Amino acid sequence: MTITASPCIKDSCLMVRGKVVFTEVPQNVVVSPAISNSSAFIGAASTTQSSRHVFSLGFLEKYKFLCLFRFKIWWMIPRVGKSGSEIPMETQMLLLEAREEFALHDEVSSDAAADNTFYILLLPVLEGQFRTSLQGTPENELQFCIESGDASVQTLQVDEAVFVNSGDNPFVLVKDSIKILEKRKGTFSHLENKKIPAHLDWFGWCTWDAFYTEVNPQGIKEGLQSFLEGGCSPKFLIIDDGWQQTTNEFQKEGEPPIEGTQFAARLVDIKENSKFKCSGSDNICTDLHEFIDDIKEKYGLKYVYMWHALAGYWGGVLTSSEVMKKYHPKLAYPIQSPGNVGNLRDIVIDSLEKYGVGIIDPEKISDFYNDLHCYLARSGVDGVKVDVQNLLETLGSGHGGRVSLTRQYQQALEQSIARNFKDNNLICSMSHNSDSIYSSKQSAVARASEDFTPREPTFQTLHIASVAFNSLLLGEIVVPDWDMFHSKHETAEFHAAARALGGCAVYVSDKPGVHDFKILKKLVLSDGSILRARYAGRPTRDCLFKDPVMDGKSLLKIWNLNKLSGVIGVFNCQGAGSWPVKEIAEHISPTPSTISGHVRPIDVEFLEEVAGENWHGQCAVYAFNSGILSKLSKKGNLEVSLATLQCEIYTVSPIKEFGQNLLFAPIGLLDMYNSGGAVDTVNCIIELSECIIKIKGKGCGRFGAYSNTKPKRCMLDMKEEEFTYNAEDGLLTVELHGECKLREIEFVY
């Protein structure tokens, strides 16, 4: 593609790279160039002042689209379609697939058509005190809605409400767009400019599903002990909701609970509750500090995180609390926008509309966070998970609006984290509004989907698909957190495989004694570290405009990169659930028991970058579950057939030429889901008549590689080691014994 003209309006049409995107664009819509030649901002003007405007962009032409929208106040999910009428309220990213033809044909799969494909990205962003979202109409019109969340914060016009850009590679397009917005807006940072928390590289345990709010020191110790006895100890721990001093004025003791009042509970003090004082029958630990010191020493924990809500607790703080009075809290009642109630209403916000929130004065929120985090840090806590963040968008009235209030809280939070904890140790959650996304200057980890729900069988496939698609946007700003899962669960393998290639933290929420260590040991090395891939796991390019949950025919493929290889996970998410707020068409036939698709090395984006020199396009492809090693060209393919809730992981390692006629590709630890994550470096030394392949690899277990010939000998940490070689497929295997450390492996030819 060589057309790079900036988007513009011509003859009442919005044009991008010579293509008509919108027709009948109203005269009040304006387009102004952004930093790059291919991008621009869209704004509009009204004749009346208002805190909320809905402007038309015109009628959307028939492009295949992928959008990310908030189906409820806290979380985004994806939707694909072909008309503007299918684009929901609260859409926060819209990606269109365009070709040289004026409009798309349904089935075009040739290489020629793929070469002619480009992508158009629309991102509704923040401008001043206003945030923007997109929404379609039944007439295929696309609108953008701007709102401040405060009736007194009004405007007549916006100039940079929607960002539009185009490119040939959708992943590069999103990354470049986020970097342009980072520079132009100055309100957030790209992930490359953030400090990444160290806990991400270690196995973790979260107390939530294990105990819910009944979490207590004895239960935590029992859980850590059961992991230890199974030979797979967590190195980071999240003590979730249930440790704080809270009160609920709306639940009377002895009376049955009223649905919704549980969310009206409020924080009384920054210190731990009575469960974490004089813990256990022996009373060895008298407070949180002693307890954390004790479990770190006994169980080898490196990081302990504590949970709290952005407002303190679900219902904020208790305004009458003596401890809280210095933060000048006031009772406020959430005001939901049409977008909040336009898709799925949420019981938390609906309840708080009735019971109110004790909100801390924005001028005092820095003091609150600093006091809380300073106390926790002195108690041995290493970081925090901060939840219920989007609540603030409903409390902007009287505070300059939702964007202003969110940014004030976000900045105070990030400053307190930097002041009190090392390594930017913060996990954000329930934060999928653009107010938070585009106010994230330092926060480097955020939950990427609704909770893992172990007792909801129809939610499992949605969880995997949601995170993968949401990571297209979120993965440029934060490391997406895939949430916990259960190692002993009917979908454990499905969830474990996804997290292995998600580039994310790996943590479970098992009840004490309820574990599947066979699964855990495919994720976690003996020292508690994990083989984390380099980027956010995202759908492959050929999956972007398909529905892997409800179309009855498409497999979900997720790609990622390691240092020297690629990895592709293939998941059958069909037939096990339905997207929220999406009608199920009556004519759709039942989902087949097994679905087939193809895996290709070129499904891994940027594979050539890790391949380096001396790569001629051949790859060794190792299938984890079947153990089959195949040799493919980069455009070759393997057929894969999977039943619902089944998956397969493929390590894709570029085959390079070393010396004379030696073809070699490292695979990694064959018994780990992300095998290639164990390979650190590969070098070749030619000495006299010998060619020596030197590998640095991490971990223990079967280490595999592809080789077109059998080596003379193998050396492991300078000692000769036995190896096996299969001449039929070229699989070379050596057993790594001993400590879980970086090993030096040499194959001598």
Side-chain angles (χ1 to χ4, degrees):
M1 290 286 175
T2 56
I3 303 171
T4 57
S6 295
C8 63
I9 296 173
K10 183 179 180 182
D11 299 328
S12 297
C13 296
L14 180 69
M15 310 290 293
V16 177
R17 284 171 73 151
K19 295 293 156 198
V20 175
V21 182
F22 301 109
T23 60
E24 299 183 42
V25 177
Q27 291 186 346
N28 67 328
V29 173
V30 294
V31 176
S32 56
I35 295 170
S36 74
N37 289 335
S38 62
S39 63
F41 286 102
I42 300 173
S46 174
T47 56
T48 56
Q49 291 268 4
S50 180
S51 61
R52 184 176 187 270
H53 291 280
V54 177
F55 296 111
S56 172
L57 275 171
F59 295 88
L60 181 64
E61 289 294 282
K62 291 186 178 179
Y63 294 98
K64 285 183 183 177
F65 76 78
L66 160 68
C67 72
L68 303 179
F69 74 101
R70 285 197 300 161
F71 77 102
K72 63 170 68 171
I73 185 171
W74 318 109
W75 308 111
M76 292 191 297
I77 56 173
R79 178 175 290 182
V80 297
K82 296 178 183 176
S83 67
S85 62
E86 300 173 87
I87 297 172
M89 296 180 78
E90 282 296 319
T91 288
Q92 299 190 136
M93 187 193 92
L94 178 62
L95 184 69
L96 308 176
E97 184 185 55
R99 293 200 175 99
E100 286 299 330
E101 300 83 17
F102 177 75
L104 292 182
H105 299 298
D106 287 345
E107 301 297 334
V108 182
S109 57
S110 69
D111 287 342
D115 290 342
N116 288 334
T117 301
F118 71 96
Y119 303 87
I120 301 166
L121 177 67
L122 288 94
L123 292 174
V125 291
L126 309 182
E127 183 174 347
Q129 294 170 287
F130 288 79
R131 59 87 65 165
T132 313
S133 60
L134 302 174
Q135 58 194 39
T137 73
E139 295 77 28
N140 293 328
E141 188 180 19
L142 188 69
Q143 300 172 335
F144 68 95
C145 170
I146 68 157
E147 56 193 330
S148 71
D150 186 337
S152 65
V153 178
Q154 301 184 346
T155 191
L156 278 170
Q157 69 178 62
V158 283
D159 299 316
E160 298 185 355
V162 179
F163 177 79
V164 58
N165 199 4
S166 63
D168 297 335
N169 182 309
F171 307 101
V172 173
L173 171 60
V174 177
K175 182 175 185 175
D176 288 351
S177 297
I178 293 299
K179 287 190 167 186
I180 291 169
L181 288 169
E182 173 192 34
K183 187 174 181 180
R184 179 67 168 243
K185 297 290 184 178
T187 60
F188 72 99
S189 299
H190 188 275
L191 181 61
E192 289 179 356
N193 298 319
K194 295 178 177 179
K195 189 174 186 178
I196 306 301
H199 81 266
L200 291 172
D201 293 311
W202 300 92
F203 172 55
W205 180 44
C206 177
T207 63
W208 180 242
D209 285 326
F211 308 106
Y212 298 110
T213 55
E214 300 303 311
V215 61
N216 61 80
Q218 188 59 36
I220 292 172
K221 287 183 178 181
E222 289 171 3
L224 292 170
Q225 183 65 30
S226 66
F227 280 113
L228 179 66
E229 291 170 1
C232 192
S233 285
K235 296 301 175 184
F236 86 89
L237 168 69
I238 301 173
I239 299 179
D240 213 291
D241 188 2
W243 69 271
Q244 294 168 291
Q245 290 187 46
T246 63
T247 187
N248 194 323
E249 300 170 287
F250 308 98
Q251 276 189 314
K252 305 301 180 187
E253 194 171 339
E255 294 183 7
I258 302 168
E259 182 67 18
T261 56
Q262 68 268 35
F263 303 113
R266 297 180 184 134
L267 189 67
V268 176
D269 199 333
I270 62 172
K271 296 182 179 179
E272 68 274 22
N273 59 34
S274 59
K275 290 185 293 182
F276 287 82
K277 296 173 181 176
C278 299
S279 59
S281 57
D282 52 12
N283 285 344
I284 292 174
C285 299
T286 57
D287 57 16
L288 183 65
H289 193 176
E290 277 199 50
F291 173 66
I292 289 176
D293 283 352
D294 183 43
I295 59 175
K296 281 185 174 181
E297 182 181 347
K298 281 185 179 177
Y299 301 107
L301 287 166
K302 292 177 177 289
Y303 308 99
V304 175
Y305 280 40
M306 307 298 283
W307 178 99
H308 70 82
L310 191 63
Y313 201 64
W314 292 89
V317 304
L318 187 67
T319 56
S320 60
S321 164
E322 288 299 320
V323 176
M324 295 298 161
K325 279 183 178 178
K326 66 176 180 176
Y327 308 121
H328 302 169
K330 291 182 180 178
L331 195 60
Y333 292 85
I335 300 172
Q336 299 195 63
S337 72
N340 296 146
V341 298
N343 292 318
L344 273 188
R345 297 190 72 106
D346 185 79
I347 186 174
V348 177
I349 294 295
D350 286 351
S351 301
L352 293 176
E353 272 188 327
K354 178 179 179 181
Y355 300 112
V357 177
I359 182 172
I360 289 171
D361 184 343
E363 297 297 322
K364 294 291 182 179
I365 191 63
S366 287
D367 294 341
F368 170 73
Y369 288 146
N370 191 56
D371 290 347
L372 172 60
H373 296 153
C374 182
Y375 176 75
L376 291 176
R378 287 202 309 266
S379 300
V381 173
D382 302 285
V384 287
K385 172 185 172 184
V386 181
D387 217 339
V388 205
Q389 296 202 11
N390 286 2
L391 172 65
L392 291 186
E393 74 177 68
T394 67
L395 298 170
S397 183
H399 297 289
R402 53 186 290 172
V403 174
S404 298
L405 185 63
T406 297
R407 189 162 295 152
Q408 206 161 353
Y409 267 63
Q410 187 85 14
Q411 288 175 354
L413 175 66
E414 292 181 343
Q415 287 166 5
S416 179
I417 297 297
R419 186 181 300 118
N420 292 291
F421 300 119
K422 298 176 184 177
D423 298 324
N424 197 20
N425 288 345
L426 168 64
I427 303 169
C428 296
S429 183
M430 300 173 79
S431 57
H432 282 194
N433 61 5
S434 55
D435 316 47
S436 295
I437 292 168
Y438 296 123
S439 296
S440 172
K441 292 279 271 186
Q442 296 173 41
S443 310
V445 180
R447 280 274 309 283
S449 79
E450 193 170 20
D451 293 10
F452 164 74
T453 46
R455 292 189 291 274
E456 294 284 356
T458 61
F459 285 12
Q460 308 307 313
T461 56
L462 275 63
H463 183 97
I464 303 298
S466 293
V467 180
F469 279 92
N470 287 344
S471 294
L472 287 163
L473 174 61
L474 297 178
E476 298 299 335
I477 299 170
V478 293
V479 176
D481 183 310
W482 285 64
D483 199 19
M484 63 200 102
F485 70 103
H486 286 183
S487 71
K488 196 158 191 170
H489 190 267
E490 53 269 23
T491 64
E493 194 102 33
F494 204 70
H495 283 283
R499 284 153 181 79
L501 52 89
C504 56
V506 173
Y507 59 107
V508 295
S509 194
D510 296 350
K511 291 181 184 296
V514 185
H515 318 286
D516 187 331
F517 289 108
K518 287 183 179 179
I519 287 178
L520 290 178
K521 289 176 182 179
K522 298 173 191 177
L523 282 166
V524 186
L525 297 178
S526 59
D527 65 352
S529 64
I530 62 169
L531 302 177
R532 189 165 68 90
R534 290 171 62 186
Y535 303 111
R538 290 159 287 179
T540 58
R541 199 183 301 203
D542 58 349
C543 288
L544 289 177
F545 301 95
K546 295 175 182 176
D547 184 348
V549 170
M550 290 179 64
D551 73 7
K553 59 185 180 182
S554 300
L555 296 172
L556 173 64
K557 295 187 291 182
I558 302 172
W559 69 274
N560 212 324
L561 287 171
N562 294 304
K563 282 188 175 181
L564 295 172
S565 63
V567 59
I568 304 169
V570 189
F571 301 83
N572 186 347
C573 298
Q574 303 284 351
S578 302
W579 291 116
V581 296
K582 185 175 175 66
E583 294 181 8
I584 302 173
E586 294 180 5
H587 64 272
I588 290 181
S589 56
T591 300
S593 58
T594 300
I595 292 177
S596 298
H598 291 90
V599 173
R600 307 169 299 169
I602 59 168
D603 289 335
V604 180
E605 302 283 336
F606 318 115
L607 186 61
E608 66 282 355
E609 294 180 13
V610 299
E613 298 176 352
N614 302 320
W615 183 52
H616 305 297
Q618 295 291 310
C619 293
V621 180
Y622 181 76
F624 175 81
N625 287 319
S626 70
I628 295 173
L629 177 62
S630 306
K631 183 181 174 184
L632 289 178
S633 68
K634 63 181 178 182
K635 290 190 176 181
N637 67 75
L638 293 172
E639 183 169 334
V640 54
S641 296
L642 297 169
T644 298
L645 286 167
Q646 281 189 346
C647 61
E648 180 63 284
I649 296 183
Y650 297 87
T651 296
V652 181
S653 185
I655 298 173
K656 297 174 71 171
E657 189 171 345
F658 296 99
Q660 288 195 344
N661 303 319
L662 173 60
L663 301 177
F664 188 91
I667 295 165
L669 289 175
L670 301 181
D671 299 315
M672 303 294 286
Y673 290 119
N674 183 23
S675 305
V679 183
D680 192 62
T681 62
V682 175
N683 294 296
C684 176
I685 296 174
I686 297 176
E687 295 178 347
L688 300 174
S689 60
E690 289 186 335
C691 178
I692 305 171
I693 301 292
K694 292 193 169 190
I695 303 169
K696 285 189 176 179
K698 181 184 180 185
C700 300
R702 292 190 305 146
F703 189 95
Y706 165 81
S707 176
N708 67 330
T709 58
K710 182 178 179 179
K712 291 192 294 185
R713 63 182 179 274
C714 172
M715 306 290 288
L716 178 60
D717 295 331
M718 307 302 289
K719 296 178 182 178
E720 189 160 346
E721 186 72 32
E722 290 185 3
F723 66 92
T724 60
Y725 180 72
N726 185 330
E728 290 185 12
D729 60 8
L731 181 60
L732 178 61
T733 310
V734 60
E735 189 77 27
L736 305 186
H737 301 284
E739 294 180 46
C740 183
K741 61 178 183 178
L742 206 59
R743 320 296 292 274
E744 291 191 3
I745 309 160
E746 294 183 5
F747 294 108
V748 183
Y749 294 85

